[in-house]
Amino acid sequence: MSDRPYTRATALPELLRQRIVILDGAMGTMIQRYKLGEADYRGTRFADHPKDLKGDNELLVFTRPEVILEIHERYLAAGADIIETNTFGATRIAQEDYGLAELARELNVEAARLARQACDKYSTPDKPRFVAGAIGPTPRTASISPDVNDPGARNVSFDELRESYYEQAQGLLEGGADLLLVETIFDTLNAKAAIFAIDELFEATGERLPVIISGTVTDASGRILSGQTVGAFWHSVRHAKPLAIGLNCALGAALMRPYIEELSKIAGETYISCYPNAGLPNPMSETGFDETPEVTGRLMEEFAQAGFLNIAGGCCGTTPEHIAQIAERVGKYRPRCVHQGLFTQLAA
């Protein structure tokens, strides 16, 4: 990645030095509360589409934009400094499942515009708000065979991933994103394709946005799905010079603690983000997860007290109430100190 100064979110690095910055919570969990049906996802534009569309949450930026905007605003009202665009699955590769691959760029542009609208409404000189362009992992993996009987089989190539990520990042940039968040990484090779694409985009446009990279530890082994430890994951992506490196989703805060602690120690030159699920999944719970806002807030407060955090938020099962608790509790503590070293451009 280039060392050029950031062209957007230029105030964010200094804000991270001053305090723990708050990221929003789950988009999918909030969408579930609206109990939307197939007709909501189709609207008039997709009324005759041949495939079922319920569950394609990204499509709601076209068919129910008021829902997405309201969710963004609720997280901002709860204290979020950064909100994510509703684009976790807005790549061409992911949208192929719904027969809507050709809409990928338009989806990202519109989602970024909605988030931008919400942030502009809530931003003040004392509390600026930032739009993070959410870049999910896609439903395909470049490192793992989809066929147990053929270990060498792959259903996606590096170049296909790179092209898909480039299109997504291009749309997010056009729509007004302040930073890019490559998140829920279960395969580091997928993440490398995203990083490569983002670097190509920055070179082509002359823009340079902060990039946050967030992996997910899938079980108690402390490894991501493609087999890397947290330490190996960091060393595989550190060349991207991210504004922050972190973990999200998967285990919930209690089980995530040793891994976020390890990352906070070894990634000394950059900031640390953490936005776990609200505990482990429970299909009988209203949100699909058991942790109340108070429990999640208390766990994140322990992380802040221990000096692990620069960015704190929530993933699956978290709501504006969870984010309000996190913001209140971690706000009592100083942010984790970043060592001056490799990434000196953060001062720009």
Side-chain angles (χ1 to χ4, degrees):
M1 283 283 187
S2 167
D3 287 338
R4 296 192 312 270
Y6 295 137
T7 56
R8 302 187 188 183
T10 55
L12 186 54
E14 180 57 33
L15 189 62
L16 285 164
R17 291 187 184 91
Q18 296 172 4
R19 63 177 175 83
I20 296 173
V21 169
I22 304 301
L23 184 68
D24 63 2
M27 174 62 72
T29 298
M30 292 300 294
I31 288 173
Q32 288 174 14
R33 289 185 166 186
Y34 288 82
K35 302 187 185 305
L36 303 177
E38 181 71 22
D40 294 290
Y41 284 84
R42 287 180 175 272
T44 55
R45 179 173 176 180
F46 304 103
D48 298 323
H49 190 71
K51 289 191 173 184
D52 290 344
L53 296 176
K54 184 178 179 180
D56 187 1
N57 288 343
E58 291 74 22
L59 200 60
L60 295 172
V61 302
F62 294 145
T63 59
R64 293 297 303 272
E66 73 284 1
V67 168
I68 305 304
L69 187 61
E70 183 174 70
I71 292 169
H72 285 323
E73 292 192 3
R74 288 192 61 187
Y75 278 122
L76 290 164
D81 300 292
I82 302 172
I83 58 168
E84 297 182 57
T85 54
N86 181 36
T87 54
F88 184 85
T91 53
R92 176 174 292 271
I93 290 172
Q95 287 299 313
E96 281 179 2
D97 292 345
Y98 295 97
L100 297 172
E102 73 281 357
L103 293 180
R105 177 166 174 167
E106 187 184 354
L107 278 171
N108 285 281
V109 172
E110 188 58 31
R113 285 176 177 165
L114 283 173
R116 175 84 277 145
Q117 180 181 337
C119 274
D120 289 347
K121 178 178 177 179
Y122 277 80
S123 288
T124 66
D126 294 334
K127 191 174 175 63
R129 312 298 181 103
F130 303 93
V131 175
I135 298 177
T138 86
R140 300 184 188 177
T141 168
S143 296
I144 303 171
S145 172
D147 182 356
V148 295
N149 296 311
D150 184 1
R154 297 291 184 271
N155 59 8
V156 70
S157 70
F158 184 91
D159 282 341
E160 287 170 334
L161 286 165
R162 177 182 59 80
E163 291 168 5
S164 185
Y165 284 131
Y166 188 99
E167 181 180 43
Q168 179 173 37
Q170 192 175 42
L172 292 168
L173 195 68
E174 181 181 337
D178 296 305
L179 62 143
L180 298 176
L181 174 52
V182 183
E183 63 172 345
T184 322
I185 298 163
F186 60 82
D187 182 346
T188 308
L189 191 55
N190 284 39
K192 282 178 171 288
I195 291 165
F196 193 98
I198 290 167
D199 197 27
E200 282 188 313
L201 181 64
F202 289 171
E203 287 296 318
T205 61
E207 294 267 18
R208 180 164 178 263
L209 279 59
V211 175
I212 298 173
I213 299 174
S214 184
T216 184
V217 174
T218 53
D219 57 41
S221 71
R223 295 174 182 268
I224 66 173
L225 189 62
S226 56
Q228 284 188 310
T229 62
V230 167
F233 168 65
W234 161 238
H235 288 294
S236 294
V237 300
R238 66 182 300 181
H239 67 281
K241 301 177 183 176
L243 177 68
I245 183 78
L247 298 174
N248 74 289
C249 201
L251 302 178
L255 296 176
M256 188 185 285
R257 182 188 174 100
Y259 312 119
I260 202 72
E261 180 176 6
E262 178 185 359
L263 198 55
S264 73
K265 290 177 179 177
I266 63 176
E269 307 96 342
T270 191
Y271 296 106
I272 296 296
S273 71
C274 179
Y275 54 112
N277 290 348
L280 295 175
N282 176 6
M284 304 301 291
S285 170
E286 178 190 358
T287 64
F289 294 81
D290 278 335
E291 280 183 10
T292 64
E294 291 74 19
V295 171
T296 303
R298 175 178 54 78
L299 291 168
M300 294 300 284
E301 180 179 6
E302 291 174 7
F303 287 11
Q305 188 175 26
F308 301 157
L309 299 181
N310 299 108
I311 301 172
C315 203
C316 305
T318 60
T319 65
E321 292 77 21
H322 288 80
I323 298 307
Q325 278 287 320
I326 291 169
E328 178 183 352
R329 288 172 178 264
V330 306
K332 306 170 187 175
Y333 302 95
R334 292 173 58 87
R336 168 183 164 277
C337 181
V338 172
H339 306 154
Q340 292 301 315
L342 179 62
F343 305 151
T344 53
Q345 84 277 9
L346 293 179

